[in-house]
Amino acid sequence: MESPVPKTPLLTAAFIACCAAGASPARAQDEAATPYRSMGEIIEASSPSDWRRPDPANTLYLELDSGRVVIELAPGFAPRHVANIRTLAREAYWDGMSINRSQDNFVVQWGDPDGESDHPRSLGSADARLPAEFDRPSKGLAFHALPDPDGWAPQTGFAEGFPAARDPEEGRAWLAHCYGMVGAGRAMEADSSNGSELYVVTGQSPRQLDRNITVVGRVIEGIELLSVLPRGTGPLGFYEEAGQRVPIRAIRLASEVPDAERSAIEVLRSDTPLFDELVEARRNRRDEWYKRPAGHIDLCNVPLPTRKVEATQTP
Amino acid sequence: MESPVPKTPLLTAAFIACCAAGASPARAQDEAATPYRSMGEIIEASSPSDWRRPDPANTLYLELDSGRVVIELAPGFAPRHVANIRTLAREAYWDGMSINRSQDNFVVQWGDPDGESDHPRSLGSADARLPAEFDRPSKGLAFHALPDPDGWAPQTGFAEGFPAARDPEEGRAWLAHCYGMVGAGRAMEADSSNGSELYVVTGQSPRQLDRNITVVGRVIEGIELLSVLPRGTGPLGFYEEAGQRVPIRAIRLASEVPDAERSAIEVLRSDTPLFDELVEARRNRRDEWYKRPAGHIDLCNVPLPTRKVEATQTP
């Protein structure tokens, strides 16, 4: 006799997914205080003030043949690097350059492939060397802490919309190397980066890099254009042949792009009661699929939802 | 005047990489007891007994047009599922089937795309439904614990070569959803999986799935053939068109493949003093690049090195 396959092998997928709905009313009623809402329901119920629109002057468009990657810069954490990156973008430094590295479960990286040669591309009016911006004073920084412990840092949470960590005793805060975070490659010396060589985390959060390198922002759209790039077969995932490199059409500041060509994206604010509800809904999933809610979430597992909005109306 | 670019923009990359060597003798001497060795140096110094060769009877070859993905099964954790998977492989269940889903920063998944239709592929002599194998008694399991705390479980470490977690109070142990781990998709009911629908973690460790689904093994080679697959644009990363699915030539047990066609792979043992040294070298990187060793490592950041060995000699 042939045994039937389960009736919902595809639903299978649905329910190991990030945002499956399906809150069970029966279970929800068991919970005295708060009826459970899934992430989808929480977002559905959001109001306009739960969202923020990144500043176009601190938003980069990385234009590839496959589409656009949108990066939000973090001037609150790396002001000097962000200023330099803005200069480089304004002066078209990366246009016609390439992505040179894709290392599985680690990073994708771009910059001048001839940087080590005797004919590197000119940095124009950008600085060649900047002080390290590995961390910053936590004083004056609105830090929205997560409820759970973290092994890498005394405290984790969100600051200025980015996953971050904090040491209250030292009074320092820094950006955390989660999936999609963007950093400035450097050589041996702490102050050897300038933002011209950038990498994006495309694997398990390499938090050991925190406070060892300057983090400059986060990919808020289009990460899947980077994460699928063929892995380089050279050491550290570098492409061995120039022809394998992925061309960069241009990197531009959103503020330098005509309104009509901008990607109008909003990011869910990470300092609101609605966001806290979302975090709790992910800490303890109370839908029918989950049999044992974790009661925990790691910083780099917290989703930061985005949505497209209508392009700005010009009057 | 043009400012020179840093002299080592490519080295930059080298030193944010996983296994950069470059231990500083000067520093190492500062450390009284143990001279520091990098991961590369530790592996270099390994002896044959530091390595193990996965059992061919519990090794799957997923054959794609792009190459072979090697999966080590975990009968110690999911005996019923592994037995069923062996039956399915032996009966060529997946041959000519496809990978149907690739969700960014989450999973790749394969199985019968017609499973929900009225003409699913026959499971042959495999069972259609199995009891959940979400965890197992920790008694009788050699568990090699990591030194650091973990937010998701009371204890983490390695068991039978796999990343795992343990609750000493409950006396239970389970496999952890790290990058490359393989699980058996299920529907709503805990006992609705049979191993015919498999997923591989290709993003930030979704540890919330631990103890909610049966984990059956780990990709030990070829994960980069899965992690680069184009992301599906349908809900949950499913491919919307049949033509987008990635063909599976075959899934076979290594033990059913002629010796000459086997991938001879050894995995570094995770229960040796050498492995402990490797973990410590990753917890506290004492090379010149790292300015602030983390003093911590998460379970899913611990590398499990593999190496190719000469094919078995037939006499």
Side-chain angles (χ1 to χ4, degrees):
Chain A
M1 284 291 293
E2 241 170 66
S3 311
V5 295
K7 279 180 193 131
T8 51
L10 288 181
L11 268 187
T12 291
F15 291 97
I16 68 167
C18 72
C19 29
S24 153
R27 277 226 207 156
Q29 281 163 13
D30 295 346
E31 310 291 328
T34 45
Y36 179 77
R37 297 196 293 188
S38 70
M39 181 161 93
E41 290 166 331
I42 290 167
I43 289 173
E44 184 85 15
S46 67
S47 62
S49 62
D50 288 311
W51 299 82
R52 65 183 180 84
R53 197 174 304 195
D55 179 1
N58 285 310
T59 301
L60 282 185
Y61 294 156
L62 161 59
E63 309 283 2
L64 304 174
D65 291 347
S66 57
R68 175 182 285 176
V69 179
V70 182
I71 295 167
E72 181 179 9
L73 298 170
F77 284 87
R80 296 286 304 274
H81 280 76
V82 167
N84 225 37
I85 287 167
R86 296 176 77 238
T87 300
L88 291 165
R90 226 183 274 109
E91 298 179 2
Y93 170 76
W94 290 285
D95 298 10
M97 229 177 239
S98 56
I99 297 173
N100 308 313
R101 177 190 191 194
S102 171
Q103 185 174 358
D104 196 63
N105 194 20
F106 195 39
V107 297
V108 155
Q109 183 170 323
W110 63 86
D112 183 1
D114 299 320
E116 272 190 320
S117 74
D118 54 5
H119 55 284
R121 190 177 292 195
S122 164
L123 290 168
S125 52
D127 289 327
R129 227 177 155 100
L130 296 174
E133 296 178 300
F134 297 169
D135 56 15
R136 54 155 284 170
S138 52
K139 198 172 170 189
L141 181 71
F143 191 93
H144 197 75
L146 285 172
D148 295 311
D150 178 81
W152 304 92
Q155 228 174 31
T156 60
F158 293 86
E160 302 189 348
F162 297 94
R166 183 167 70 164
D167 186 333
E169 271 185 38
E170 284 189 52
R172 308 294 293 179
W174 57 94
L175 294 179
H177 277 84
C178 295
Y179 191 84
M181 294 298 281
V182 184
R186 69 162 168 89
M188 244 6 150
E189 305 78 26
D191 62 350
S192 58
S193 61
N194 57 37
S196 67
E197 183 91 7
L198 294 173
Y199 64 89
V200 175
V201 175
T202 54
Q204 175 71 16
S205 48
R207 297 278 307 279
Q208 73 279 359
L209 295 176
D210 292 1
R211 304 185 86 179
N212 277 292
I213 196 161
T214 299
V215 182
V216 301
R218 190 174 75 87
V219 173
I220 57 174
E221 191 178 78
I223 183 79
E224 70 282 2
L225 304 180
L226 300 176
S227 55
V228 300
L229 293 178
R231 293 359 182 183
T233 50
L236 311 170
F238 276 91
Y239 296 122
E240 295 185 273
E241 309 293 334
Q244 296 171 320
R245 295 176 191 149
V246 179
I248 292 174
R249 288 188 183 177
I251 298 186
R252 296 176 294 174
L253 282 167
S255 53
E256 307 251 310
V257 167
D259 256 24
E261 294 171 31
R262 292 191 193 168
S263 301
I265 301 168
E266 287 187 337
V267 181
L268 195 71
R269 285 179 56 177
S270 47
D271 58 352
T272 61
L274 186 100
F275 187 77
D276 291 342
E277 184 185 351
L278 184 152
V279 168
E280 180 52 30
R282 305 290 281 186
R283 293 181 74 245
N284 286 297
R285 309 230 193 167
R286 283 155 45 198
D287 58 40
E288 287 185 79
W289 192 87
Y290 277 90
K291 307 306 177 192
R292 183 189 292 264
H296 174 84
I297 196 163
D298 265 12
L299 174 66
C300 295
N301 287 96
V302 176
L304 287 171
T306 57
R307 66 178 185 185
K308 301 228 181 212
V309 289
E310 297 300 310
T312 316
Q313 300 294 318
T314 40
Chain B
M1 283 295 291
E2 240 171 68
S3 309
V5 295
K7 279 181 195 129
T8 51
L10 289 182
L11 269 187
T12 292
F15 292 95
I16 68 169
C18 70
C19 29
S24 153
R27 277 225 206 159
Q29 282 163 11
D30 296 344
E31 310 290 331
T34 44
Y36 179 78
R37 297 195 293 188
S38 70
M39 182 162 92
E41 290 166 332
I42 291 167
I43 290 173
E44 184 86 15
S46 67
S47 62
S49 62
D50 288 313
W51 299 85
R52 64 184 181 84
R53 198 174 303 195
D55 179 1
N58 284 312
T59 301
L60 283 184
Y61 294 156
L62 162 59
E63 310 282 3
L64 304 174
D65 292 345
S66 56
R68 176 182 286 178
V69 179
V70 182
I71 295 168
E72 182 179 9
L73 297 170
F77 284 88
R80 297 287 304 273
H81 280 76
V82 167
N84 225 37
I85 288 168
R86 297 176 77 238
T87 300
L88 291 165
R90 225 182 275 111
E91 298 180 3
Y93 171 76
W94 290 287
D95 298 10
M97 228 179 237
S98 55
I99 296 174
N100 308 313
R101 178 189 189 196
S102 171
Q103 184 173 359
D104 196 63
N105 194 18
F106 194 39
V107 296
V108 154
Q109 183 171 325
W110 62 86
D112 183 2
D114 298 320
E116 272 190 321
S117 75
D118 55 5
H119 55 285
R121 189 177 295 195
S122 163
L123 290 167
S125 53
D127 289 327
R129 227 177 155 100
L130 296 174
E133 296 176 300
F134 298 167
D135 55 18
R136 54 155 284 173
S138 52
K139 198 173 170 187
L141 180 71
F143 191 92
H144 196 76
L146 284 173
D148 294 312
D150 179 81
W152 304 93
Q155 228 173 31
T156 60
F158 292 86
E160 303 189 348
F162 296 94
R166 183 167 72 163
D167 187 331
E169 272 186 37
E170 285 188 52
R172 308 293 294 176
W174 57 93
L175 294 179
H177 277 84
C178 295
Y179 192 84
M181 294 299 281
V182 184
R186 69 164 170 87
M188 244 5 152
E189 304 77 26
D191 62 352
S192 57
S193 60
N194 57 36
S196 66
E197 182 91 6
L198 295 173
Y199 64 89
V200 176
V201 174
T202 54
Q204 174 70 17
S205 47
R207 297 279 307 278
Q208 71 280 357
L209 295 176
D210 292 2
R211 305 185 86 179
N212 277 291
I213 196 160
T214 299
V215 182
V216 302
R218 191 174 75 87
V219 174
I220 58 173
E221 190 178 79
I223 182 79
E224 71 281 1
L225 304 180
L226 300 175
S227 55
V228 300
L229 292 178
R231 291 3 182 180
T233 51
L236 311 170
F238 276 91
Y239 295 122
E240 295 185 274
E241 310 293 334
Q244 297 171 319
R245 295 176 191 148
V246 179
I248 292 174
R249 289 187 184 177
I251 298 186
R252 297 177 292 175
L253 282 168
S255 53
E256 308 252 310
V257 167
D259 255 24
E261 293 171 31
R262 290 192 195 167
S263 301
I265 301 168
E266 288 187 335
V267 181
L268 195 72
R269 284 181 56 181
S270 48
D271 58 352
T272 61
L274 186 100
F275 187 76
D276 290 342
E277 184 186 351
L278 184 150
V279 169
E280 179 53 30
R282 306 290 283 185
R283 293 181 73 245
N284 285 299
R285 309 228 194 169
R286 285 154 43 198
D287 59 39
E288 286 186 80
W289 192 88
Y290 277 90
K291 308 307 175 190
R292 183 189 291 265
H296 174 86
I297 197 162
D298 264 12
L299 174 65
C300 296
N301 288 95
V302 176
L304 288 171
T306 57
R307 66 179 184 184
K308 301 229 180 211
V309 288
E310 297 302 309
T312 315
Q313 300 294 320
T314 39

